[in-house]
Amino acid sequence: QKEVEQNSGPLSVPEGAIASLNCTYSDRGSQSFFWYRQYSGKSPELIMFIYSNGDKEDGRFTAQLNKASQYVSLLIRDSQPSDSATYLCAVMGGTGGFKTIFGAGTRLFVKA
Amino acid sequence: DGGITQSPKYLFRKEGQNVTLSCEQNLNHDAMYWYRQDPGQGLRLIYYSQIVNDFQKGDIAEGYSVSREKKESFPLTVTSAQKNPTAFYLCASSLGGRDTEAFFGQGTRLTVV
């Protein structure tokens, strides 16, 4: 079992729709959870981090964390073509200490 | 401007050669990391360092070496023992705490010719 798992996609949504990206992790002791966006050929950039159960909202983005289910998700409301990118889920803490483990990423296409 | 700088952006290596990728940060971050990314895949951790003069192997350290002689610098050497080095290499740094994000450099694309 991979430490951080994501559906590779591609996930295709129409402009203005909600995009839902999911991530599961194997280390129950993990403490911090991050979502990064990576455009093709570029380096990742942080969108959000979350470390408490529940929802965290920032503009059009909402991160959701359920530690009991070892599940973290990212919702993108009012999706725009500029949101088309690969979204990487990252997890820190637990047996890995401060080492950050990344999932393989989900490719998102937003159709105009 | 504060940031993390990788050089060169593109690097070509002949088989059997060692090459060193540079990573410098002026963010005063304690922690630094090297990741490798292959096409269509996520980031795999090569080495990481929490403080000067100390570093740990990540998941794919074989064929790589690092040093951390200064807080600002964390160079990565890709040795001839790395059999498939063609990839996109990303350096990152962070404050090192629980909820601190990693800031990435622009990456180095290494190709074996």
Side-chain angles (χ1 to χ4, degrees), chain B:
Chain B
D1 288 335
I4 181 165
T5 303
Q6 289 184 244
S7 62
K9 189 173 181 180
Y10 299 98
L11 185 59
F12 296 90
R13 189 195 93 168
K14 294 181 180 179
E15 296 217 17
Q17 269 186 340
N18 292 353
V19 291
T20 297
L21 283 59
S22 171
C23 179
E24 303 277 334
Q25 55 98 359
N26 60 5
L27 299 167
N28 200 33
H29 285 171
D30 289 314
M32 296 188 75
Y33 315 78
W34 274 105
Y35 292 92
R36 168 181 172 144
Q37 188 175 36
D38 293 284
Q41 297 190 31
L43 281 63
R44 291 185 290 168
L45 184 63
I46 305 173
Y47 270 98
Y48 61 106
S49 168
Q50 192 172 8
I51 57 172
V52 174
N53 293 322
D54 185 54
F55 48 83
Q56 287 80 42
K57 292 182 179 180
D59 300 316
I60 56 165
E62 185 175 350
Y64 300 97
S65 66
V66 293
S67 63
R68 188 85 187 278
E69 297 176 1
K70 298 186 299 182
K71 187 175 185 178
E72 303 79 21
S73 179
F74 192 41
L76 173 74
T77 297
V78 184
T79 75
S80 57
Q82 172 49 239
K83 298 306 179 187
N84 185 22
T86 295
F88 188 46
Y89 290 87
L90 286 158
C91 179
S93 70
S94 74
L95 287 171
R98 179 183 78 154
D99 54 351
T100 58
E101 66 177 286
F103 291 83
F104 285 86
Q106 80 272 30
T108 294
R109 192 167 299 278
L110 173 63
T111 304
V112 173
V113 296

Side-chain angles (χ1 to χ4, degrees), chain A residues 27-103:
Chain A
D27 187 339
R28 187 170 287 278
S30 298
Q31 297 179 324
S32 304
F33 308 86
F34 305 85
W35 282 100
Y36 287 82
R37 177 176 61 199
Q38 186 178 25
Y39 293 111
S40 181
K42 303 295 184 182
S43 57
E45 54 182 345
L46 183 75
I47 298 174
M48 295 188 71
F49 69 85
I50 185 169
Y51 51 86
S52 298
N53 275 328
D55 295 358
K56 180 181 180 181
E57 187 174 317
D58 184 1
R60 296 186 296 113
F61 300 95
T62 299
Q64 299 174 316
L65 175 62
N66 183 328
K67 289 187 177 180
S69 300
Q70 295 174 241
Y71 174 93
V72 58
S73 66
L74 179 70
L75 301 178
I76 306 174
R77 291 182 298 282
D78 188 23
S79 296
Q80 302 297 309
S82 59
D83 294 326
S84 298
T86 296
Y87 290 80
L88 300 168
C89 173
V91 175
M92 179 195 290
T95 58
F98 75 96
K99 185 171 69 171
T100 304
I101 306 297
F102 284 81

